[in-house]
Amino acid sequence: MQKQIIIFVLLFLGSQMLLGQANVYHLGFSDGTKTPTTFCVDIDASFNVNKKLGSSNLMFDFDPLVLDNPVVSSTPLDVATNYYGLSLTTPQQGQASLNVVLKLPGAGNGHDFSTSPAAIARVCFDVLDQTQPIELNWLENSSFQTVVFDDNNTASSPTQLVSGILENFNQTSFPVSWLSFEAEMGEFDALLKWETGSEINNDRFEVERATEGGDFVVIGEVKGVGNSVLVNSYTFVDKDVKQYKSDKLVYRIKQVDFDGTFSYSQRVEIQLDQRVQLLAEAYPNVFDASLKINYQSTTFEEIKLRIVNELGQDVFKTTNTAFQYAYEIPTEDWPRGIYVVFLASGNLHQEFKVQKQ
């Protein structure tokens, strides 16, 4: 498969100086995730000093033979309080404009930005040709000021919004091209499977899980192949997932490069069947030197095992906390006769009659 490299080229935009000092703002694309049908990327921004984001018009272009239908899928900005909202327009084919409109420009409103990059919005595209590399390029908007920042002075009027110089924020080549990611529920465990179409300096995958409404936590790690232009398949088993008191579990994969840069896969979910079961068997039904007892439980409570003789006396007794277990009990010294095997866990019970010959 053709090596797919996602390259983001950030172009320099010139603007005016304010009071002899340049206000430097940064724009970039990060955390790109690609499937055979969709591509999503975060638009990041930062400033050389603490400022607030004012009304903005962020222009970029893309190859319309590779991508189509850009939409804003999410935004962390405080839209209800400070902004009329974020919208994405397409002035012409292969071009997009992310529009940020401040409700009260010049009054100290807006979203706080510092020197640390923060996501403005996540933009998603339909992928038309998954064999081609994806390029997004910043453009200078010649019609009106491309990016403006509120000077955070409550006495300022809308005409006193400050502009600045755009520097290259980053030039990113995402190290993994995601082909698929899915999860399926087994009897006790969740099986995660994913494939990559290419890998560049890929160190590892960190598997993260969240219960419904909870935060993601790292539950395991799978090593990457480093560099590859072939399709690579990976699996990870999340064991005994029915112990989590949740109707569903959510998974994502964090891909980590050798230099520490990372990106995330899409999220997948599994539904948990919370019905409790205790499945057990005792064999052979007519035994001699040993008796075998197996069980599987979804109660996650102690499993109590008792075997009694015809007089109601215990000949074997134990408690186990394992979700599944296999016993082989020596019975050479037991007298001939009928024995009853009892297994119990909470309100669940199993009972078997067996015979020593």
Side-chain angles (χ1 to χ4, degrees):
M1 178 177 292
Q2 179 178 353
K3 185 175 182 180
Q4 299 175 357
I5 304 175
I6 307 173
I7 302 175
F8 300 100
V9 181
L10 304 181
L11 301 180
F12 176 88
L13 299 180
S15 186
Q16 65 183 31
M17 306 286 287
L18 180 67
L19 299 179
Q21 181 180 6
N23 296 285
V24 181
Y25 52 87
H26 309 261
L27 293 173
F29 303 106
S30 67
D31 289 346
T33 57
K34 181 176 181 290
T35 72
T37 58
T38 60
F39 171 75
C40 295
V41 66
D42 285 344
I43 294 180
D44 292 341
S46 65
F47 210 67
N48 62 332
V49 292
N50 291 339
K51 290 284 184 180
K52 288 178 178 287
L53 174 64
S55 300
S56 305
N57 185 268
L58 310 179
M59 300 285 294
F60 59 93
D61 68 1
F62 54 91
D63 188 343
L65 299 180
V66 178
L67 299 177
D68 190 23
N69 191 32
V71 295
V72 175
S73 65
S74 65
T75 171
L77 293 180
D78 188 0
V79 173
T81 303
N82 298 321
Y83 297 92
Y84 285 112
L86 273 71
S87 62
L88 196 70
T89 58
T90 51
Q92 61 186 50
Q93 189 179 28
Q95 190 177 92
S97 173
L98 179 66
N99 303 297
V100 184
V101 181
L102 192 63
K103 281 187 176 179
L104 297 172
N109 290 274
H111 187 82
D112 289 306
F113 277 83
S114 65
T115 56
S116 299
I120 299 175
R122 168 152 279 226
V123 176
C124 292
F125 302 79
D126 294 334
V127 175
L128 303 181
D129 188 348
Q130 61 176 311
T131 67
Q132 297 301 313
I134 291 174
E135 294 184 3
L136 301 178
N137 304 290
W138 291 113
L139 296 174
E140 184 172 3
N141 189 340
S142 59
S143 300
F144 50 88
Q145 197 168 33
T146 302
V147 181
V148 290
F149 278 81
D150 192 334
D151 61 6
N152 202 19
N153 184 338
T154 57
S156 298
S157 67
T159 59
Q160 292 176 308
L161 297 177
V162 298
S163 60
I165 297 173
L166 175 65
E167 286 187 342
N168 285 350
F169 171 65
N170 63 357
Q171 181 170 325
T172 305
S173 174
F174 290 106
V176 164
S177 171
W178 299 91
L179 294 182
S180 65
F181 177 37
E182 58 187 35
E184 59 186 46
M185 185 66 207
E187 188 171 7
F188 296 95
D189 308 329
L191 174 62
L192 309 183
K193 299 184 291 185
W194 64 96
E195 286 188 338
T196 63
S198 64
E199 298 183 25
I200 305 171
N201 297 324
N202 177 31
D203 180 32
R204 66 188 185 275
F205 300 94
E206 294 180 359
V207 183
E208 298 183 2
R209 177 191 61 223
T211 55
E212 189 171 16
D215 296 327
F216 279 99
V217 296
V218 179
I219 60 172
E221 182 179 303
V222 178
K223 292 297 292 182
V225 298
N227 293 283
S228 173
V229 294
L230 303 176
V231 174
N232 291 283
S233 301
Y234 299 89
T235 60
F236 181 86
V237 177
D238 190 14
K239 293 184 175 296
D240 303 322
V241 295
K242 290 187 178 180
Q243 64 183 294
Y244 304 107
K245 305 303 181 183
S246 179
D247 291 333
K248 67 179 180 181
L249 297 177
V250 184
Y251 294 92
R252 69 181 183 186
I253 306 294
K254 180 180 179 180
Q255 179 281 321
V256 183
D257 203 356
F258 287 120
D259 64 4
T261 58
F262 60 88
S263 64
Y264 285 100
S265 71
Q266 64 184 13
R267 300 181 181 187
V268 296
E269 299 178 356
I270 60 169
Q271 300 294 324
L272 295 180
D273 182 0
Q274 295 297 330
R275 293 173 298 175
V276 295
Q277 300 181 66
L278 176 60
L279 307 175
E281 59 179 347
Y283 64 95
N285 188 51
V286 179
F287 62 92
D288 185 12
S290 65
L291 176 64
K292 296 180 176 65
I293 299 173
N294 300 335
Y295 76 80
Q296 292 181 330
S297 172
T298 61
T299 65
F300 298 96
E301 298 183 27
E302 287 186 337
I303 309 295
K304 298 179 180 180
L305 169 62
R306 292 178 58 220
I307 304 177
V308 301
N309 60 21
E310 293 175 312
L311 300 177
Q313 300 168 326
D314 289 335
V315 295
F316 184 86
K317 186 176 182 180
T318 188
T319 299
N320 205 323
T321 57
F323 304 129
Q324 51 186 337
Y325 201 81
Y327 294 95
E328 184 169 2
I329 304 168
T331 59
E332 292 179 343
D333 298 333
W334 291 11
R336 294 181 179 178
I338 302 297
Y339 293 82
V340 182
V341 178
F342 297 97
L343 287 107
S345 179
N347 295 324
L348 301 179
H349 302 271
Q350 292 277 0
E351 179 179 327
F352 306 95
K353 284 187 177 181
V354 291
Q355 181 180 353
K356 169 64 184 296
Q357 65 180 5

